[in-house]
Amino acid sequence: MILERCREIYDYREMVRSLVKRDLKGRYKGSVLGFFWTFLNPLLQLCVYTLVFSTIMRAGIRDYYLFLFVALIPWIFFSTSLTGGAGCILTQQDMVKKIYFPREVLPVSYVTSQFVNMLLGFTVIFPVLLFAGYPLRLGPLLCLPVIMIVEYILALGFTMVMSAVTVYVRDMEYILGIVAMAWQFLTPVMYSADQVPEHVRWIFSVNPMSYVITAYRDILYQGKIPGMETLLPAALTGTGMLAAGWHVFRRLQKRFVEEL
């Protein structure tokens, strides 16, 4: 059944491609800076966090702007997929009501468009790292696509659950904004995992994004291959979340048209 569904989604790959293109082109349509906001948004956040944590609160981390940047870009991808993706069925409700297609196409296309945005963000990260004198070693870089895929799978799993639930509980879109903000502070994005007090580290051990962010930082900031204690929990959690998300989505999509 799952293989048949995957094959059907693959048959609709042109639809996924079309939706991704439409999202990327339409996101900043009418704005003065247009597509440049893809780069400007994370850069502005980087400036604010760097000012607060390296100047005011003094995190004491070497080259804090790089330490933050290599984690901030992946985090923006995940949080945007989570919060924005929750409404991807609602925003396409006319299409859902009128034509048949695998409904999974909508969360897949939304997460994919956010993933493309993250890849564009990395076109800024690499030159900045080289300019700052951080070598891009081949071994760690070969692990980068692996952790990217893991994060994509994790984000897709959560998005499938939230997009399906939001059809029935419209308040979920607003709740997720708060959840994403809290989740960011419970993930070592703006600080090092070593700074977390021992008695609350269990919270971070059950947070899948802690492993994902640590892996990105190992590869790009530390210039080393992430250990299996980082990659394995991230991969297992991502796979498990996608399986759970797929299952929830399949069960809830049966009444999408009635609820919309």
Side-chain angles (χ1 to χ4, degrees):
M1 179 65 73
I2 294 178
L3 290 177
E4 290 179 4
R5 195 66 174 178
C6 290
R7 191 178 299 112
E8 186 179 13
I9 294 172
Y10 179 76
D11 290 339
Y12 281 80
R13 61 190 179 278
E14 288 300 326
M15 184 179 185
V16 173
R17 188 178 293 115
S18 175
L19 289 171
V20 169
K21 287 182 179 179
R22 187 177 70 176
D23 181 70
L24 291 173
K25 290 180 179 179
R27 179 168 300 154
Y28 304 115
K29 186 177 181 180
S31 67
V32 176
L33 296 178
F35 204 66
F36 185 64
W37 279 108
T38 300
F39 309 101
L40 189 58
N41 183 44
L43 288 173
L44 290 175
Q45 290 190 51
L46 175 66
C47 291
V48 172
Y49 290 140
T50 300
L51 173 65
V52 171
F53 285 93
S54 66
T55 304
I56 299 175
M57 297 181 67
R58 298 189 180 278
I61 296 173
R62 176 177 62 94
D63 293 331
Y64 180 78
Y65 70 99
L66 289 176
F67 175 87
L68 175 62
F69 203 24
V70 299
L72 188 61
I73 296 294
W75 173 259
I76 290 174
F77 158 60
F78 179 78
S79 63
T80 306
S81 297
L82 183 68
T83 56
C88 67
I89 306 295
L90 293 178
T91 55
Q92 304 292 343
Q93 59 180 290
D94 289 340
M95 186 163 52
V96 172
K97 293 176 182 178
K98 294 177 181 178
I99 63 175
Y100 171 78
F101 61 94
R103 306 314 189 203
E104 293 91 342
V105 162
L106 296 178
V108 167
S109 61
Y110 187 86
V111 173
T112 302
S113 70
Q114 302 308 313
F115 186 74
V116 171
N117 270 333
M118 183 180 74
L119 294 180
L120 292 172
F122 271 88
T123 64
V124 178
I125 288 180
F126 290 138
V128 171
L129 286 169
L130 291 172
F131 180 78
Y134 283 69
L136 298 176
R137 297 185 175 91
L138 179 61
L141 285 179
L142 291 176
C143 296
L144 189 58
V146 175
I147 197 61
M148 284 181 169
I149 293 171
V150 167
E151 187 184 14
Y152 176 88
I153 291 172
L154 183 66
L156 180 58
F158 275 105
T159 301
M160 292 185 79
V161 172
M162 297 308 166
S163 62
V165 172
T166 302
V167 173
Y168 297 84
V169 185
R170 306 299 171 91
D171 293 341
M172 189 59 68
E173 285 187 276
Y174 307 105
I175 295 172
L176 284 174
I178 301 172
V179 170
M181 181 179 65
W183 200 337
Q184 180 174 1
F185 283 100
L186 292 174
T187 304
V189 175
M190 298 171 288
Y191 53 85
S192 171
D194 297 334
Q195 295 174 294
V196 179
E198 189 70 36
H199 65 280
V200 294
R201 286 192 179 180
W202 65 270
I203 299 175
F204 296 82
S205 67
V206 298
N207 176 4
M209 282 304 294
S210 293
Y211 300 103
V212 171
I213 294 300
T214 298
Y216 277 110
R217 204 163 264 151
D218 284 345
I219 295 168
L220 298 170
Y221 181 74
Q222 302 288 351
K224 66 179 184 180
I225 296 174
M228 288 303 296
E229 70 276 6
T230 299
L231 287 176
L232 189 59
L236 291 176
T237 307
T239 304
M241 191 61 222
L242 180 58
W246 192 290
H247 177 72
V248 171
F249 193 93
R250 288 277 292 164
R251 289 183 65 88
L252 295 182
Q253 71 169 337
K254 296 175 182 178
R255 295 185 58 243
F256 277 178
V257 174
E258 291 86 340
E259 291 295 328
L260 293 172

